[in-house]
PDB file of all heavy atoms in Angstrom:
ATOM      1  N   VAL M  93      88.206  96.320  98.495  1.00 93.00           N
ATOM      2  CA  VAL M  93      86.786  96.120  98.749  1.00 93.00           C
ATOM      3  C   VAL M  93      86.042  97.363  98.274  1.00 93.00           C
ATOM      4  O   VAL M  93      86.431  98.491  98.607  1.00 93.00           O
ATOM      5  CB  VAL M  93      86.507  95.882 100.244  1.00 93.00           C
ATOM      6  CG1 VAL M  93      85.015  95.749 100.487  1.00 93.00           C
ATOM      7  CG2 VAL M  93      87.233  94.641 100.732  1.00 93.00           C
ATOM      8  N   ALA M  94      85.001  97.150  97.485  1.00 94.00           N
ATOM      9  CA  ALA M  94      84.170  98.258  97.011  1.00 94.00           C
ATOM     10  C   ALA M  94      82.982  98.437  97.946  1.00 94.00           C
ATOM     11  O   ALA M  94      82.312  97.463  98.308  1.00 94.00           O
ATOM     12  CB  ALA M  94      83.697  97.983  95.590  1.00 94.00           C
ATOM     13  N   TYR M  95      82.739  99.665  98.330  1.00 95.00           N
ATOM     14  CA  TYR M  95      81.597 100.008  99.189  1.00 95.00           C
ATOM     15  C   TYR M  95      80.563 100.730  98.341  1.00 95.00           C
ATOM     16  O   TYR M  95      80.814 101.823  97.829  1.00 95.00           O
ATOM     17  CB  TYR M  95      82.040 100.928 100.329  1.00 95.00           C
ATOM     18  CG  TYR M  95      82.932 100.284 101.364  1.00 95.00           C
ATOM     19  CD1 TYR M  95      84.263  99.986 101.090  1.00 95.00           C
ATOM     20  CD2 TYR M  95      82.437  99.984 102.636  1.00 95.00           C
ATOM     21  CE1 TYR M  95      85.083  99.401 102.049  1.00 95.00           C
ATOM     22  CE2 TYR M  95      83.249  99.404 103.605  1.00 95.00           C
ATOM     23  CZ  TYR M  95      84.572  99.117 103.299  1.00 95.00           C
ATOM     24  OH  TYR M  95      85.382  98.543 104.249  1.00 95.00           O
ATOM     25  N   GLY M  96      79.403 100.127  98.174  1.00 93.00           N
ATOM     26  CA  GLY M  96      78.346 100.774  97.410  1.00 93.00           C
ATOM     27  C   GLY M  96      78.702 100.897  95.930  1.00 93.00           C
ATOM     28  O   GLY M  96      79.495 100.122  95.384  1.00 93.00           O
ATOM     29  N   GLU M  97      78.125 101.892  95.288  1.00 88.00           N
ATOM     30  CA  GLU M  97      78.370 102.124  93.866  1.00 88.00           C
ATOM     31  C   GLU M  97      79.681 102.888  93.687  1.00 88.00           C
ATOM     32  O   GLU M  97      79.866 103.959  94.267  1.00 88.00           O
ATOM     33  CB  GLU M  97      77.220 102.911  93.248  1.00 88.00           C
ATOM     34  CG  GLU M  97      77.363 103.117  91.753  1.00 88.00           C
ATOM     35  CD  GLU M  97      76.191 103.873  91.143  1.00 88.00           C
ATOM     36  OE1 GLU M  97      75.229 104.149  91.887  1.00 88.00           O
ATOM     37  OE2 GLU M  97      76.252 104.175  89.938  1.00 88.00           O
ATOM     38  N   VAL M  98      80.565 102.325  92.887  1.00 94.00           N
ATOM     39  CA  VAL M  98      81.869 102.941  92.651  1.00 94.00           C
ATOM     40  C   VAL M  98      81.817 103.742  91.364  1.00 94.00           C
ATOM     41  O   VAL M  98      81.464 103.216  90.309  1.00 94.00           O
ATOM     42  CB  VAL M  98      82.969 101.851  92.563  1.00 94.00           C
ATOM     43  CG1 VAL M  98      84.310 102.477  92.214  1.00 94.00           C
ATOM     44  CG2 VAL M  98      83.069 101.100  93.886  1.00 94.00           C
ATOM     45  N   CYS M 102      84.807 109.085  93.580  1.00 97.00           N
ATOM     46  CA  CYS M 102      84.455 108.440  94.850  1.00 97.00           C
ATOM     47  C   CYS M 102      85.633 108.477  95.815  1.00 97.00           C
ATOM     48  O   CYS M 102      86.773 108.755  95.450  1.00 97.00           O
ATOM     49  CB  CYS M 102      83.998 106.996  94.624  1.00 97.00           C
ATOM     50  SG  CYS M 102      85.311 105.866  94.114  1.00 97.00           S
ATOM     51  N   LEU M 103      85.336 108.166  97.061  1.00 97.00           N
ATOM     52  CA  LEU M 103      86.339 108.134  98.116  1.00 97.00           C
ATOM     53  C   LEU M 103      87.189 106.875  97.965  1.00 97.00           C
ATOM     54  O   LEU M 103      86.675 105.788  97.687  1.00 97.00           O
ATOM     55  CB  LEU M 103      85.639 108.131  99.470  1.00 97.00           C
ATOM     56  CG  LEU M 103      86.382 108.648 100.700  1.00 97.00           C
ATOM     57  CD1 LEU M 103      86.779 110.105 100.513  1.00 97.00           C
ATOM     58  CD2 LEU M 103      85.495 108.498 101.937  1.00 97.00           C
ATOM     59  N   VAL M 104      88.512 107.018  98.137  1.00 97.00           N
ATOM     60  CA  VAL M 104      89.426 105.879  98.042  1.00 97.00           C
ATOM     61  C   VAL M 104      90.448 105.964  99.170  1.00 97.00           C
ATOM     62  O   VAL M 104      90.986 107.037  99.456  1.00 97.00           O
ATOM     63  CB  VAL M 104      90.168 105.854  96.687  1.00 97.00           C
ATOM     64  CG1 VAL M 104      91.298 104.822  96.702  1.00 97.00           C
ATOM     65  CG2 VAL M 104      89.203 105.556  95.551  1.00 97.00           C
ATOM     66  N   LEU M 134      83.873 105.226 104.271  1.00 96.00           N
ATOM     67  CA  LEU M 134      83.494 104.498 103.063  1.00 96.00           C
ATOM     68  C   LEU M 134      82.122 103.845 103.216  1.00 96.00           C
ATOM     69  O   LEU M 134      81.353 103.765 102.255  1.00 96.00           O
ATOM     70  CB  LEU M 134      84.551 103.434 102.746  1.00 96.00           C
ATOM     71  CG  LEU M 134      85.875 103.976 102.211  1.00 96.00           C
ATOM     72  CD1 LEU M 134      86.973 102.924 102.322  1.00 96.00           C
ATOM     73  CD2 LEU M 134      85.726 104.437 100.771  1.00 96.00           C
ATOM     74  N   GLN M 137      79.795 106.938 102.662  1.00 95.00           N
ATOM     75  CA  GLN M 137      79.898 107.665 101.407  1.00 95.00           C
ATOM     76  C   GLN M 137      80.076 106.771 100.184  1.00 95.00           C
ATOM     77  O   GLN M 137      79.863 107.216  99.052  1.00 95.00           O
ATOM     78  CB  GLN M 137      81.062 108.659 101.474  1.00 95.00           C
ATOM     79  CG  GLN M 137      80.918 109.689 102.581  1.00 95.00           C
ATOM     80  CD  GLN M 137      82.050 110.700 102.568  1.00 95.00           C
ATOM     81  OE1 GLN M 137      82.627 111.009 101.522  1.00 95.00           O
ATOM     82  NE2 GLN M 137      82.388 111.233 103.733  1.00 95.00           N
ATOM     83  N   GLY M 138      80.488 105.528 100.394  1.00 95.00           N
ATOM     84  CA  GLY M 138      80.810 104.650  99.283  1.00 95.00           C
ATOM     85  C   GLY M 138      82.219 104.908  98.777  1.00 95.00           C
ATOM     86  O   GLY M 138      82.807 105.958  99.031  1.00 95.00           O
ATOM     87  N   GLY M 139      82.770 103.937  98.046  1.00 96.00           N
ATOM     88  CA  GLY M 139      84.116 104.097  97.518  1.00 96.00           C
ATOM     89  C   GLY M 139      84.889 102.801  97.557  1.00 96.00           C
ATOM     90  O   GLY M 139      84.297 101.713  97.521  1.00 96.00           O
ATOM     91  N   VAL M 140      86.213 102.912  97.665  1.00 96.00           N
ATOM     92  CA  VAL M 140      87.071 101.735  97.562  1.00 96.00           C
ATOM     93  C   VAL M 140      88.145 101.765  98.647  1.00 96.00           C
ATOM     94  O   VAL M 140      88.810 102.789  98.838  1.00 96.00           O
ATOM     95  CB  VAL M 140      87.767 101.672  96.184  1.00 96.00           C
ATOM     96  CG1 VAL M 140      88.606 100.394  96.070  1.00 96.00           C
ATOM     97  CG2 VAL M 140      86.753 101.741  95.054  1.00 96.00           C
ATOM     98  N   LEU M 141      88.319 100.648  99.324  1.00 97.00           N
ATOM     99  CA  LEU M 141      89.431 100.447 100.241  1.00 97.00           C
ATOM    100  C   LEU M 141      90.406  99.480  99.589  1.00 97.00           C
ATOM    101  O   LEU M 141      90.053  98.331  99.296  1.00 97.00           O
ATOM    102  CB  LEU M 141      88.947  99.868 101.574  1.00 97.00           C
ATOM    103  CG  LEU M 141      90.028  99.392 102.546  1.00 97.00           C
ATOM    104  CD1 LEU M 141      90.896 100.564 103.006  1.00 97.00           C
ATOM    105  CD2 LEU M 141      89.417  98.671 103.738  1.00 97.00           C
TER     106      LEU M 141
END
Side-chain angles (χ1 to χ4, degrees):
V93 177
Y95 291 73
E97 184 179 355
V98 176
C102 70
L103 204 60
V104 169
L134 287 163
Q137 300 183 29
V140 183
L141 170 64

